Amino acid sequence: MEKEKDKRVLLGMSGGTDSSVAAILLQDAGYEVTGVTFRFYEKEGDTAYLDDARELCSRLHIPHIVYDVREVFRKHIITYFIDEYLKGRTPVPCTLCNNRLKWPLLKRLADEREIPFIASGHYVQKRFIGERWHIVQGADPDKDQSFFLWGLPQDIIARMVLPLGNLTKTRVREIASERGFLKVASKRDSLGVCFCPGDYRTYLRRHTQAGAIVPGPIFDERRNYMGTHEGYPFYTIGQRRGLGVYRNKALFVKEIIPEENAVILADDLRALEHTAFYLSHWHLPAPEVVLGSQAELIVKIRYRKQANRCSVVLTPDNRLQVRLHEPLASIACGQAAAFYRGDIVLGGGIIDRVGE
Ligand SMILES: Nc1ncnc2c1ncn2[C@@H]1O[C@H](COP(=O)(O)OP(=O)(O)OP(=O)(O)O)[C@@H](O)[C@H]1O
């Protein structure tokens, strides 16, 4: 971690292992830490995470703030999540939360308190390259969270301190137990979307109005009727299980047509392949490095390891056209795409059209 003169930092504390160890490491590095826990969402009113964060701060003798953003979270993240499925798209709530809510809030609260730095327990690093700050992959390939942070502006990245960026999760757990924080060391990893950790279909059923999701036809690519689905929002592009239609070969969701409440299946994954897609809401820290670049540029459309070579051009309507060097299957509108060169994040955007 860098040595700075004014070493006050505002740390986002979820009450989990990562942000707790981040607090310990920041203190070790001489930072004067203030912890803030955002109340984003509470499953059945469970506020144990607040007690855990408070308890840890008290053990470390650091001030702790609780900031209630449940209404904003519901309005901007949960509503967006449901609406995207109802539009036949695949939402990216964690990307949106990090880029539009969590980090901007940390910055705002730090500004209000004149605290120069903001920190988290994310497994990412940052690097200053060619006059700009960039997010860089975390050292632990299984925990790297850089895919979610492509949208952060310079004034946020510049102030970020990321104590877990060069550590593995195993090492983070060891640090917690070596320092006597046994409860912290043994906490389970959080899985998936915080407000919808299980099957999103059950969640959609519970949180949409009656009549919003109704059965409709499943067609093959030639529009032959194949069966009935339970509601198009329950399907995602590329899905091959739980389709409700059985043939003696694999079937894949190729298209979702909300206006017709129809789902189109293909029996060959190659029918889902494309060599281009378009991004809106894009953000590039150094546009000249990505646009028209001849050097190796990688685009990822999923969190897990992936490496698709591409070139990118700006369209007259201010979208990014991503041209893939090899065809890629199962690209869905609504998903995020992030650009990389090596371990460096070069920005990203939201897929809003698939095809050439
Ligand atoms: N409710 C929250 N309030 C404040 N900061 C948060 C909150 N939730 C997450 N963060 C911050 O964002 C980081 C990444 O959160 P995320 O939920 O993706 O990871 P995590 O591995 O579950 O982290 P943790 O082990 O700290 O819960 C956390 O380490 C923490 O710094």
Side-chain angles (χ1 to χ4, degrees):
M1 263 179 277
E2 302 154 42
K3 291 258 174 232
E4 304 286 345
K5 275 195 199 116
D6 182 349
K7 297 198 79 173
R8 283 172 306 135
V9 64
L10 184 65
L11 168 68
M13 296 191 69
S14 63
T17 306
D18 298 329
S19 43
S20 301
V21 172
I24 296 167
L25 294 178
L26 287 168
Q27 275 200 326
D28 287 356
Y31 282 91
E32 197 183 304
V33 185
T34 298
V36 58
T37 306
F38 299 124
R39 297 180 72 181
F40 287 129
Y41 168 81
E42 282 154 14
K43 190 166 185 266
E44 285 149 20
D46 182 0
T47 54
Y49 72 104
L50 290 178
D51 300 331
D52 289 350
R54 205 176 284 127
E55 193 186 307
L56 188 93
C57 286
S58 123
R59 260 183 89 175
L60 295 175
H61 306 289
I62 61 181
H64 182 235
I65 304 161
V66 174
Y67 197 77
D68 191 350
V69 280
R70 284 175 294 174
E71 198 45 41
V72 180
F73 189 80
R74 195 190 54 73
K75 204 165 141 204
H76 292 285
I77 308 296
I78 299 183
T79 304
Y80 145 85
F81 177 81
I82 295 169
D83 286 352
E84 284 286 273
Y85 278 116
L86 293 179
K87 288 179 193 159
R89 292 160 56 101
T90 305
V92 285
C94 303
T95 300
L96 205 72
C97 176
N98 270 301
N99 293 324
R100 303 263 182 88
L101 203 58
K102 192 191 282 178
W103 283 102
L105 268 175
L106 274 173
K107 176 177 170 287
R108 203 181 83 204
L109 296 190
D111 284 344
E112 284 168 14
R113 289 160 180 77
E114 296 182 349
I115 297 176
F117 295 104
I118 47 182
S120 77
H122 278 100
Y123 288 82
V124 293
Q125 313 184 65
K126 67 178 208 180
R127 206 175 289 155
F128 196 61
I129 310 160
E131 311 274 292
R132 309 277 165 76
W133 283 106
H134 291 76
I135 292 292
V136 171
Q137 285 179 336
D140 184 339
D142 293 326
K143 291 300 291 181
D144 168 42
Q145 290 170 303
S146 59
F147 182 68
F148 301 111
L149 302 182
W150 53 260
L152 293 178
Q154 289 293 298
D155 60 349
I156 287 188
I157 307 180
R159 292 169 67 179
M160 287 165 92
V161 187
L162 300 157
L164 305 195
N166 60 351
L167 299 176
T168 61
K169 181 81 188 207
T170 311
R171 182 66 199 128
V172 165
R173 287 196 189 281
E174 277 170 12
I175 293 171
S177 64
E178 282 166 14
R179 304 290 286 269
F181 293 88
L182 299 182
K183 185 173 169 192
V184 166
S186 61
K187 280 209 164 192
R188 269 192 292 151
D189 278 4
S190 45
L191 290 175
V193 175
C194 66
F195 59 90
C196 174
D199 181 24
Y200 82 89
R201 295 166 185 89
T202 316
Y203 187 88
L204 285 183
R205 269 221 192 286
R206 274 203 207 121
H207 294 86
T208 49
Q209 289 176 344
I213 303 179
V214 291
I218 299 178
F219 297 119
D220 70 11
E221 289 179 271
R222 294 204 202 95
R223 287 286 181 146
N224 296 310
Y225 179 80
M226 296 180 83
T228 305
H229 65 70
E230 295 266 299
Y232 68 83
F234 298 151
Y235 294 78
T236 51
I237 302 295
Q239 182 180 332
R240 57 179 295 182
R241 286 175 210 284
L243 300 177
V245 170
Y246 303 94
R247 296 288 185 274
N248 54 1
K249 53 188 164 185
L251 295 168
F252 307 89
V253 175
K254 183 186 176 196
E255 215 181 323
I256 298 164
I257 311 175
E259 308 78 50
E260 299 175 30
N261 189 18
V263 172
I264 311 287
L265 303 185
D267 60 6
D268 185 346
L269 192 57
R270 280 174 301 184
L272 280 68
E273 286 181 346
H274 289 281
T275 51
F277 56 84
Y278 292 80
L279 302 181
S280 62
H281 301 91
W282 52 271
H283 172 79
L284 303 176
E288 68 283 0
V289 176
V290 170
L291 297 173
S293 165
Q294 297 304 310
E296 188 88 326
L297 186 63
I298 294 296
V299 64
K300 295 188 187 195
I301 60 165
R302 286 184 242 296
Y303 167 51
R304 284 288 154 208
K305 289 158 218 162
Q306 221 196 20
N308 312 294
R309 292 185 307 131
C310 72
S311 354
V312 182
V313 290
L314 186 62
T315 66
D317 65 352
N318 197 36
R319 289 190 294 179
L320 297 183
Q321 187 199 35
V322 182
R323 297 177 183 158
L324 297 161
H325 294 189
E326 293 93 28
L328 179 65
S330 311
I331 309 169
C333 286
Q335 279 181 314
F339 301 114
Y340 287 80
R341 179 161 301 142
D343 58 354
I344 304 157
V345 180
L346 293 174
I350 300 294
I351 299 171
D352 79 347
R353 198 186 118 198
V354 180
E356 286 61 38

